[in-house]
Amino acid sequence: MNSKEFLHYYRKMSILKNHEISLEEAEKDIKIMVESMAEAIAMESELKLKNKGKFILADRKRKMVQNIHTGEKTELPPKKILKYIQPKSLNISEEK
């Protein structure tokens, strides 16, 4: 699902809950939510949502790369990645 599809899904869910909002309002709500979560994760390196899982800011392991022209090997510093850890009580699985 991309951001546009999620926007329409969020709006559809608000209509089903008898709280209809416009696309602009839905976009604003989602933007505020994502920015707030990003700030919280950046401050604490972790965001726990009860019964929903947790988001962790972790370091990816260092990478070794090789220059194709000189053959010189270089070690790249680790990158920060965002991990989501699903709780056991939340049963989300890939369906294909």
Side-chain angles (χ1 to χ4, degrees):
M1 179 180 294
N2 62 30
S3 59
K4 188 174 182 179
E5 291 168 340
F6 181 71
L7 180 65
H8 287 285
Y9 174 77
Y10 180 78
R11 184 168 183 264
K12 179 179 158 186
M13 293 305 292
S14 72
I15 292 169
L16 291 175
K17 293 181 180 181
N18 295 326
H19 187 266
E20 188 172 348
I21 59 174
S22 68
L23 279 176
E24 292 80 23
E25 289 174 315
E27 189 172 16
K28 183 179 175 185
D29 288 350
I30 292 168
K31 182 179 179 185
I32 290 171
M33 179 186 66
V34 169
E35 286 176 355
S36 299
M37 289 176 71
E39 288 175 10
I41 293 168
M43 288 186 327
E44 298 290 328
S45 297
E46 183 174 277
L47 174 63
K48 292 181 185 178
L49 302 172
K50 187 174 182 176
N51 299 326
K52 304 292 185 223
K54 63 181 173 178
F55 295 90
I56 298 173
L57 190 60
D59 286 329
R60 184 182 291 171
K61 65 180 184 178
R62 293 180 182 267
K63 252 186 187 175
M64 290 295 291
V65 294
Q66 185 172 355
N67 185 324
I68 59 172
H69 300 292
T70 64
E72 178 186 350
K73 291 186 178 182
T74 308
E75 188 175 17
L76 297 178
K79 287 185 177 182
K80 296 281 187 186
I81 57 169
L82 185 65
K83 285 185 178 180
Y84 171 72
I85 299 174
Q86 170 182 326
K88 292 177 183 170
S89 62
L90 186 64
N91 192 8
I92 298 175
S93 60
E94 289 187 31
E95 296 177 15
K96 288 187 178 184

